[in-house]
């Protein structure tokens, strides 16, 4: 892929949002430098493929991302970067690969918003507790799933697969910030080029399509090691209020690009479990930010409540016992209704970052 090109550095704080012109073979960022603090990127996709935009820190840590930017569409990413240093911007046409990357420098330093705003500090601490609770459930439930695979208990493993993934899907934006772990845990067989197919979806294919393989036990053990490593790293993550706001929207983008289309769990067809978990995670982030939202934009909170309630009610139509019907049971009208409900929810959720950063 062609490399990003940039104009001379500008003061992003004084000059407004940095513009990003994304295309199928280019990612033109209007500035290669910005002062520390809150940085905004306005991304317009002029290509023919759905794209994503990322700001990476050293080691591939994701500072902020915007997914599911369709051809001709524009999205804004607002991210808090309090520490100066060398970063990278990236567009990902087709939402695959390492993307079209370019160096991006953040100068100086800035006070963290949580250090100057008690409500924002409380929101971030509350969401951290939510993430910790999900990780505390993810570890033992994944162990149960792995134990079933290792024991050759196919039906037991199948039953545990969507349950274990529920806790992963609720905190996926935080988990994705660890660029090395996410592809190993949640990669698909048409995922990142050059990355070995491992993790949940490799075992999903073994359980539902190919049968357990000679290396299924090793793959299961690797998954457990990676989930344990995730649990060890999560307490050290320094979340910002904008992480919460952007993460809430990212989870809805996950629904739109993977769950509604049936792409995510293509062998088990347990996509609606993941759908439910992504919405739960989005609600968790918004709930943590709600006092700030109510204070700064009193009309937004009730609208969010209404749109979340609509999605909740829709999903309840597809309950099957403690879980959900398989994706293969959905009709085109079902998929259309889900798409419309998620799109309607995504619109007010996309406003939260702007409210939080105001």
């Amino acid at each position: 892929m062609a490399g990003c090109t940039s104009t001379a550095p500008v003061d992003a704080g004084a000059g407004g949002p940095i513009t990003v012109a994304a295309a199928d073979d280019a990612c033109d960022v209007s500035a290669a430098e910005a002062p520390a603090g809150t940085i905004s990127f306005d991304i317009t996709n002029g290509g023919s493929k759905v794209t994503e935009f990322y700001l990476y820190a050293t080691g591939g840590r994701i500072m902020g991302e915007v997914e599911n930017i369709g051809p001709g569409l524009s999205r804004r990413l607002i991210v808090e970067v309090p520490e100066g240093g060398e970063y990278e911007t990236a567009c990902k046409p087709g939402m695959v690969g390492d993307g079209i990357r370019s160096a991006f420098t953040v100068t100086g330093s800035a006070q963290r918003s949580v250090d100057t705003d008690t409500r924002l500090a409380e929101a971030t601490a509350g969401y951290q507790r939510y993430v910790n609770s999900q990780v505390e459930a993810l570890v033992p439930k994944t162990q149960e799933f792995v134990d079933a695979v290792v024991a050759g208990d196919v039906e037991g493993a199948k039953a545990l697969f969507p349950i274990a993934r529920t806790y992963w899907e609720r905190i996926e934006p935080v988990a994705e910030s660890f660029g090395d772990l996410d592809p190993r845990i949640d990669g698909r067989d048409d995922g990142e080029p050059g990355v070995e197919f491992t993790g949940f979806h490799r075992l999903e294919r073994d359980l539902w399509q190919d049968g357990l393989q000679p290396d299924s036990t090793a793959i299961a053990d690797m998954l457990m090691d990676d989930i344990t490593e995730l649990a060890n790293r999560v307490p050290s993550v320094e979340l910002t209020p904008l992480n919460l706001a952007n993460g809430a929207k990212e989870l809805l983008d996950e629904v739109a690009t993977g769950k509604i289309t049936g792409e995510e769990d293509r062998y088990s067809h347990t996509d609606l479990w993941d759908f439910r978990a992504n919405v739960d995670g989005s609600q968790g982030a918004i709930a943590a930010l709600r006092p700030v939202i109510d204070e700064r934009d009193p009309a937004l909170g009730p609208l969010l409540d209404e749109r979340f309630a609509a999605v909740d009610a829709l999903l309840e139509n597809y309950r099957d016992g403690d879980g959900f019907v398989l994706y293969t049971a959905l009709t085109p009208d079902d998929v259309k209704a889900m798409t419309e409900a998620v799109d309607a929810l995504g619109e007010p959720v996309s406003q939260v970052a702007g409210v939080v950063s105001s």
Side-chain angles (χ1 to χ4, degrees):
M1 291 184 176
C4 285
T5 59
S6 303
T7 61
V10 299
D11 184 338
I18 296 168
T19 61
V20 181
D24 293 347
D25 58 358
C27 183
D28 297 331
V29 184
S30 68
E33 181 177 298
T38 300
I39 304 173
S40 297
F41 297 89
D42 279 354
I43 307 103
T44 299
N45 183 8
S48 62
K49 302 175 182 177
V50 177
T51 195
E52 302 170 334
F53 179 77
Y54 293 79
L55 179 66
Y56 290 103
T58 302
R61 182 165 60 92
I62 298 172
M63 300 296 296
E65 65 178 294
V66 176
E67 300 179 345
N68 197 30
I69 311 171
L73 298 182
S74 297
R75 291 277 299 278
R76 174 170 288 185
L77 172 65
I78 308 174
V79 61
E80 183 177 351
V81 187
E83 296 178 354
E86 297 305 316
Y87 296 79
E88 279 189 315
T89 58
C91 297
K92 288 191 180 182
M95 302 189 295
V96 296
D98 290 335
I100 307 167
R101 300 197 178 205
S102 183
F104 188 84
T105 301
V106 175
T107 59
S109 61
Q111 208 165 18
R112 298 174 187 275
S113 60
V114 295
D115 293 336
T116 58
D117 189 312
T118 301
R119 284 194 182 276
L120 291 178
E122 290 172 348
T124 305
Y127 183 68
Q128 182 69 65
R129 289 192 293 271
Y130 173 79
V131 171
N132 291 344
S133 72
Q134 297 307 304
V135 171
E136 287 171 3
L138 172 65
V139 172
K141 193 56 66 173
T142 302
Q143 186 68 67
E144 289 180 39
F145 169 66
V146 164
D147 288 346
V149 172
V150 172
D153 180 4
V154 171
E155 293 307 312
K158 284 182 175 181
L160 287 162
F161 174 79
I163 299 172
R165 284 184 56 75
T166 291
Y167 304 105
W168 164 266
E169 292 285 346
R170 285 176 179 162
I171 60 166
E172 195 162 5
V174 176
E176 285 180 342
S177 69
F178 305 113
D180 57 335
L181 287 176
D182 177 57
R184 298 205 302 264
I185 293 171
D186 200 41
R188 287 175 277 177
D189 54 356
D190 58 356
E192 300 292 331
V195 176
E196 183 185 1
F197 184 34
T198 61
F200 278 118
H201 291 303
R202 162 58 202 280
L203 294 172
E204 178 196 8
R205 189 179 71 179
D206 292 354
L207 290 165
W208 272 271
Q209 177 176 287
D210 297 341
L212 292 178
Q213 302 296 300
D215 66 341
S216 294
T217 292
I219 295 294
D221 289 339
M222 185 186 304
L223 171 63
M224 195 64 238
D225 288 345
D226 287 337
I227 291 294
T228 301
E229 176 65 17
L230 173 72
N232 290 336
R233 291 193 201 180
V234 161
S236 67
V237 173
E238 292 187 3
L239 295 171
T240 70
L242 284 171
N243 289 147
L244 278 61
N246 291 330
K249 184 61 172 71
E250 287 167 28
L251 284 164
L252 298 181
D253 288 340
E254 288 282 338
V255 173
T257 59
K259 284 65 177 185
I260 289 175
T261 62
E263 290 291 317
E264 181 79 17
D265 298 320
R266 61 189 64 172
Y267 307 109
S268 64
H269 305 300
T270 55
D271 303 271
L272 293 191
W273 276 262
D274 288 1
F275 186 156
R276 175 71 267 173
N278 284 160
V279 174
D280 288 344
S282 185
Q283 285 177 310
I286 295 300
L289 290 167
R290 187 59 183 269
V292 178
I293 295 170
D294 288 344
E295 181 179 82
R296 300 183 183 181
D297 187 347
L300 183 57
L303 180 59
L304 288 163
D305 290 342
E306 175 189 318
R307 299 287 172 82
F308 271 117
V311 172
D312 292 343
L314 180 63
L315 276 171
E316 286 305 304
N317 293 329
Y318 303 96
R319 277 284 181 187
D320 182 14
D322 292 334
F324 294 90
V325 301
L326 298 181
Y327 185 84
T328 48
L330 302 182
T331 68
D333 285 344
D334 293 328
V335 174
K336 181 174 182 290
M338 290 178 180
T339 300
E340 290 173 350
V342 171
D343 287 347
L345 172 58
E347 193 279 324
V349 170
S350 70
Q351 299 176 34
V352 172
V355 171
V356 168
S357 63
S358 64

